[in-house]
Amino acid sequence: MRILEIPEGTTEIKNYEYRGLKELEQVLIPNSVKKIGKHAFYDCRNLKSIRISGNLHEIEDGAFKNCDSLRYVEVTADDRETGCMKNIVADLSHEIVFHIQYSDGQARLLVPSYSYDYEIDINSRVFHEVVYGSGDAYQRCVSKEKIDFGEYDFLFSVAKREEQEPTLFELITDRLEYPYQLEEKAKERYLAYLKEHAVSYVKQKIESNDQKGLRLAADCGLFRKEDMEEYLELAGKEKKIESMAFLMEYQNQYFPVILQEFEF
């Protein structure tokens, strides 16, 4: 079973009910479900996405523990409540994307990964916990009742120190495409980073054939005439037909080749 659609009218998913389903990839949970019990989806290692609603008020410990492939959570939250997103991220330390449908807009937020270790202070013989990655800080932006969008955007300064370019590029792309409660100063910080890393951003979007990212690059004015030949060459080399078409259309519209006329 690759897709599990919980029947409408179900109010609770019981403890351990779907644990260890190795082929399960997607779970669709209706508005009627109020509670997910302990370890309900424990060890569903191929589970990639779930859909929940703001009516889901309780997720017990370990419900999604060891769901190593879970990367996408869609949430319907009509009253700005985010259900139990906090309980989901508590089970996970890898990168995950939340796409939230509010009654007045949409948000798409990437929560980076993190890991931790223990280092010993030789002098005091005391172990100290060391956290790697910014995901732990980003997780704290999510509470049971809401998401602190201001804090999420403020943490970009932390992400720049801790994360690699692909993660930062995806985080910015999602935030600018769905600018829910995005303040102007935060938007300016994201745009400044993109402009500073414009060539790397565009190349990464070409290599991943990400049309959404290329459109954002165009909207943000990241394309320069002197770089277009390099971008087209990369798209051709990587055989990214859609990216090649986008770049050629953009070049013809904004950087047309002007043929010289000669008099004889």
Side-chain angles (χ1 to χ4, degrees):
M1 176 174 56
R2 291 179 56 250
I3 301 175
L4 171 63
E5 187 167 3
I6 306 297
E8 183 66 50
T10 302
T11 58
E12 179 181 350
I13 299 174
K14 301 185 185 308
N15 297 349
Y16 300 96
E17 188 165 357
Y18 299 106
R19 72 169 182 177
L21 294 181
K22 303 302 182 185
E23 296 181 359
L24 184 62
E25 295 183 4
Q26 183 179 19
V27 176
L28 307 175
I29 300 174
N31 293 341
S32 59
V33 172
K34 310 294 185 185
K35 176 182 177 181
I36 298 178
K38 294 179 181 178
H39 298 90
F41 296 96
Y42 174 79
D43 213 28
C44 291
R45 293 184 179 271
N46 289 313
L47 179 60
K48 296 178 174 61
S49 68
I50 61 175
R51 186 181 71 194
I52 63 175
S53 79
N55 292 329
L56 178 60
H57 293 302
E58 185 177 0
I59 297 179
E60 295 194 331
D61 292 343
F64 294 97
K65 192 172 182 63
N66 284 1
C67 293
D68 300 330
S69 300
L70 182 57
R71 291 292 189 275
Y72 182 79
V73 178
E74 182 178 346
V75 184
T76 302
D78 292 339
D79 298 321
R80 296 196 178 185
E81 291 188 4
T82 54
C84 291
M85 283 173 51
K86 184 175 182 63
N87 303 68
I88 295 174
V89 297
D91 280 340
L92 307 173
S93 60
H94 57 254
E95 183 177 292
I96 188 166
V97 172
F98 289 94
H99 192 126
I100 308 144
Q101 307 268 355
Y102 293 103
S103 58
D104 58 346
Q106 299 182 54
R108 186 179 172 100
L109 304 175
L110 183 147
V111 177
S113 63
Y114 74 96
S115 62
Y116 60 88
D117 199 355
Y118 292 92
E119 296 181 354
I120 187 170
D121 185 322
I122 297 176
N123 295 325
S124 63
R125 296 184 180 181
V126 174
F127 283 94
H128 299 281
E129 185 178 272
V130 181
V131 179
Y132 301 98
S134 61
D136 181 57
Y138 273 95
Q139 285 192 10
R140 290 196 291 271
C141 298
V142 182
S143 71
K144 188 173 181 179
E145 292 78 23
K146 64 178 183 177
I147 295 172
D148 188 335
F149 287 94
E151 180 65 15
Y152 180 93
D153 294 323
F154 178 79
L155 284 173
F156 185 63
S157 59
V158 177
K160 285 193 296 184
R161 295 196 306 267
E162 298 287 342
E163 306 300 333
Q164 300 297 313
E165 276 190 349
T167 297
L168 295 172
F169 289 161
E170 184 177 353
L171 186 153
I172 295 171
T173 301
D174 288 344
R175 199 68 182 103
L176 293 180
E177 185 181 14
Y178 299 97
Y180 190 82
Q181 293 190 19
L182 177 61
E183 296 184 357
E184 191 61 31
K185 288 185 178 180
K187 180 179 179 180
E188 290 172 1
R189 288 195 294 270
Y190 289 137
L191 289 174
Y193 184 88
L194 280 190
K195 289 176 180 178
E196 185 179 348
H197 299 83
V199 173
S200 295
Y201 180 82
V202 173
K203 285 183 175 180
Q204 196 262 346
K205 297 307 174 185
I206 292 171
E207 290 170 345
S208 60
N209 217 20
D210 183 354
Q211 304 305 294
K212 177 180 68 174
L214 289 176
R215 287 193 297 272
L216 179 64
D219 293 341
C220 295
L222 301 187
F223 290 113
R224 298 184 306 174
K225 183 177 181 179
E226 57 266 32
D227 298 322
M228 295 304 294
E229 184 176 347
E230 183 179 3
Y231 296 153
L232 288 165
E233 183 179 341
L234 176 61
K237 179 181 177 182
E238 298 291 331
K239 296 181 172 56
K240 305 299 183 182
I241 306 303
E242 293 87 354
S243 295
M244 173 75 79
F246 179 93
L247 294 167
M248 291 180 67
E249 182 179 353
Y250 187 92
Q251 184 181 50
N252 290 336
Q253 183 175 357
Y254 295 100
F255 308 125
V257 177
I258 301 174
L259 299 177
Q260 286 184 305
E261 294 185 1
F262 296 92
E263 294 184 3
F264 294 96

